[in-house]
Amino acid sequence: MKMEFLPNPCARLENPSIMICHTFQGLKRALVLVALAVMMFTVGAESRRKRHLDMIRYSAISCRAHSASLTDFGGVGDGITLNTMAFQAAINYLSQYEAQGGSQLFVPPGRWLTGSFNLTSHFTLYLQRDAVLLASQDESDWPLIDPLPSYGRGRDTEGGRYSSLVFGTNLTDVVITGDNGTIDGQGQLWWQKFRRGQLNYTRPYLIEIMHSDKVQISNLTLLNSPSWNVHPVYSSNVIVQGITILAPTNSPNTDGINPDSCTNTKIEDCYIVSGDDCVAVKSGWDEYGIAYGMPTKQLVIRRLTCISPTSAVIALGSEMSGGIEDVRAEDILAINSESGVRIKTAVGRGGYVKDIYVKGMTMRTMKWVFWMTGNYGSHPDNNYDPNALPLIQNINYRDMVAENVTMAARLEGISGDPFTGICISNVTIGLVQKPKKLQWNCTDIAGISSGVVPQPCDALPDQGPEKLPACNFPEESLSIDEVEAQVCSYKRTHW
């Protein structure tokens, strides 16, 4: 290539002007070189910054060897285009890597309208910040599936139910997470149909994982679910962490997190505003749950904040016919909720609720602090066994503070089948200006108390200050707490 040189602007000048000119031109060239260096450094820094931002890092129980974006499969995030086929095509394609290090599907920022889709094993679904999954309001986008075998029928109506928006069954090692990405159930239409009795099948949930092992659901915002939000069922080794759940407080059955016939589960660092129970622990319904016989056990709940004016912060039951045991809840904040901890059961349920431990709970504006009922009807059919009586025993509450409370406790066992082994220790309950005259309503229960204000009923006799350490909380940890997260990454190919 031929090089062309510009004429020297100092060539026609005489001394000493030529010297001054050369000096000036030297300074000019130096300044240009400095400017070029600064520009190159700035561009390099900008390039490095972009490259750094291009790398997404997140915490998960497993990292993956293969990655793809939803846009690689025709996804359009305009809030109008239906993306169900794009999601399912992406997941079907990525499923080939189950035995080759697993795969991850990234959903970029946008509004991704979709119906129900199914996950695969050794798989991560990641919603980037500002990515919103919008649930379709067309019932034809929600496949029908069988009722849960431990329930015998749908919760809303007899027969089957709609598949959840994000669904998976018989999976191993599945992660649903994000940088606080959002799943919006757009539930208003479903709530209206429920209230009007117009549902032919049970409403869908936002996330349901069935018959699976090693599950993580984390760092997401869930809005306006048609019904329950998160439903792990018949599964083990489940972590639900860093979830924000928001629904109108008058929305029907928008439970937050419902571990159902699950073993070794951890729920922590979640914020829930709900029209129903924030956490509802379940294990099947009447004769169907008894026959299925799969309890929920080894459950940890910690650092939960809940607002639910018409329901419980933590509910045990009422579908508890397969049994509930070894539940440990601590560091719970309840605000403007109907009850703190509620046990719900009935004649015909069978099963058991036992070895329940709660400590470090703070409650502000409550109808009841403690509520147990053995008269929670709602049977799936008339075939339940009236001789199937539930066993409720070893229920422990300690180290709690409540304020602005209407009534301390409503504890109602079953005649001939009392709830026993109740222990309440070191609990201070501040009352509203016009509280109920009877603060402790106790029937068919037995247990002890120590250091509780206001003084409990005679069925819970005070053991004196020396018994304040009563209602022991287990010291040994569960295996789910031993699971270590890894730092995973994904490098976007499009800037």
Side-chain angles (χ1 to χ4, degrees):
M1 179 173 60
K2 184 179 179 181
M3 302 292 292
E4 296 184 0
F5 295 90
L6 295 175
N8 184 348
C10 301
R12 289 178 293 178
L13 296 177
E14 298 180 356
N15 290 329
S17 298
I18 190 170
M19 185 176 297
I20 297 172
C21 180
H22 280 297
T23 301
F24 174 76
Q25 292 300 319
L27 288 172
K28 186 176 178 182
R29 285 194 296 270
L31 289 171
V32 169
L33 289 173
V34 169
L36 286 172
V38 170
M39 183 175 69
M40 291 176 64
F41 178 82
T42 303
V43 170
E46 179 69 13
S47 176
R48 288 192 297 274
R49 185 182 70 83
K50 286 183 178 179
R51 287 197 296 270
H52 174 71
L53 289 178
D54 201 41
M55 183 69 71
I56 295 173
R57 291 183 173 84
Y58 64 96
S59 176
I61 56 175
S62 300
C63 298
R64 314 301 182 190
H66 303 272
S67 304
S69 170
L70 185 64
T71 55
D72 298 335
F73 297 85
V76 179
D78 59 4
I80 300 172
T81 305
L82 189 67
N83 290 282
T84 312
M85 292 182 64
F87 273 107
Q88 206 57 69
I91 295 167
N92 291 344
Y93 171 81
L94 292 170
S95 66
Q96 67 180 305
Y97 299 113
E98 285 184 9
Q100 301 173 36
S103 60
Q104 50 192 359
L105 177 63
F106 280 73
V107 182
R111 295 173 66 79
W112 308 90
L113 182 68
T114 182
S116 175
F117 58 88
N118 298 335
L119 304 182
T120 189
S121 291
H122 305 291
F123 175 80
T124 296
L125 175 67
Y126 185 96
L127 305 186
Q128 293 180 216
R129 184 178 293 273
D130 299 323
V132 181
L133 297 194
L134 284 176
S136 171
Q137 295 186 303
D138 185 342
E139 290 186 20
S140 65
D141 293 326
W142 303 80
L144 291 173
I145 58 177
D146 292 334
L148 293 167
S150 60
Y151 284 69
R153 52 159 283 176
R155 288 290 286 109
D156 291 335
T157 66
E158 294 181 1
R161 59 203 187 100
Y162 293 101
S163 177
S164 296
L165 186 67
V166 181
F167 181 75
T169 186
N170 297 298
L171 303 180
T172 300
D173 180 21
V174 61
V175 175
I176 306 166
T177 190
D179 184 16
N180 200 33
T182 298
I183 302 178
D184 186 346
Q186 302 199 99
Q188 182 67 41
L189 179 68
W190 296 96
W191 305 333
Q192 291 174 353
K193 289 183 177 181
F194 172 77
R195 292 183 176 118
R196 295 168 182 169
Q198 296 175 340
L199 289 170
N200 295 317
Y201 303 98
T202 290
R203 288 167 287 164
Y205 308 144
L206 285 189
I207 300 174
E208 181 176 69
I209 304 296
M210 298 176 57
H211 302 293
S212 297
D213 182 50
K214 298 180 182 177
V215 177
Q216 174 185 329
I217 303 168
S218 64
N219 300 324
L220 298 169
T221 294
L222 309 183
L223 304 178
N224 301 322
S225 177
S227 185
W228 300 351
N229 281 267
V230 178
H231 185 224
V233 57
Y234 316 138
S235 295
S236 57
N237 301 305
V238 178
I239 296 173
V240 182
Q241 190 175 56
I243 297 292
T244 298
I245 296 175
L246 303 174
T249 55
N250 63 348
S251 55
N253 310 117
T254 51
D255 295 37
I257 303 165
N258 289 10
D260 196 343
S261 293
C262 288
T263 299
N264 209 34
T265 301
K266 176 167 66 176
I267 300 169
E268 65 181 11
D269 300 310
C270 294
Y271 178 86
I272 303 172
V273 180
S274 170
D276 211 321
D277 302 322
C278 291
V279 173
V281 186
K282 299 178 180 292
S283 68
W285 202 2
D286 284 8
E287 68 270 24
Y288 303 103
I290 294 171
Y292 202 77
M294 182 177 286
T296 289
K297 59 183 180 180
Q298 298 165 3
L299 168 63
V300 175
I301 306 167
R302 62 169 69 100
R303 296 185 299 277
L304 173 74
T305 298
C306 171
I307 299 173
S308 183
T310 60
S311 293
V313 177
I314 299 174
L316 306 165
S318 72
E319 303 89 347
M320 39 62 67
S321 301
I324 297 171
E325 63 179 301
D326 194 2
V327 176
R328 311 169 184 194
E330 58 182 321
D331 299 330
I332 310 296
L333 174 60
I335 303 170
N336 189 23
S337 297
E338 186 176 56
S339 57
V341 181
R342 186 180 182 189
I343 296 176
K344 303 187 288 186
T345 188
V347 170
R349 289 287 192 270
Y352 53 84
V353 177
K354 64 181 182 180
D355 305 333
I356 310 300
Y357 309 93
V358 184
K359 73 173 182 178
M361 194 167 185
T362 300
M363 291 162 275
R364 299 170 182 165
T365 307
M366 310 291 294
K367 189 172 183 179
W368 295 287
V369 172
F370 307 113
W371 190 5
M372 303 180 188
T373 178
N375 190 33
Y376 198 91
S378 181
H379 299 286
D381 51 40
N382 294 323
N383 298 322
Y384 67 90
D385 180 3
N387 296 314
L389 300 178
L391 172 68
I392 312 298
Q393 69 177 21
N394 193 26
I395 313 298
N396 300 272
Y397 305 129
R398 63 173 297 167
D399 306 334
M400 298 182 176
V401 176
E403 61 185 37
N404 205 35
V405 173
T406 303
M407 183 175 179
R410 179 179 171 183
L411 309 177
E412 304 163 331
I414 297 172
S415 179
D417 181 35
F419 300 172
T420 62
I422 299 168
C423 180
I424 304 177
S425 172
N426 190 31
V427 175
T428 301
I429 300 172
L431 304 178
V432 295
Q433 288 186 349
K434 295 182 179 180
K436 294 284 187 181
K437 290 183 179 180
L438 179 64
Q439 279 298 304
W440 292 78
N441 184 10
C442 306
T443 56
D444 298 302
I445 67 150
I448 62 172
S449 66
S450 179
V452 178
V453 178
Q455 184 175 340
C457 55
D458 293 340
L460 299 171
D462 192 324
Q463 305 299 296
E466 66 277 6
K467 293 291 186 180
L468 276 179
C471 318
N472 289 330
F473 197 93
E475 295 183 1
E476 73 284 359
S477 62
L478 297 174
S479 60
I480 193 65
D481 269 328
E482 305 305 317
V483 176
E484 294 186 1
Q486 304 178 48
V487 177
C488 307
S489 64
Y490 167 67
K491 186 175 182 179
R492 290 176 289 184
T493 56
H494 301 286
W495 290 24

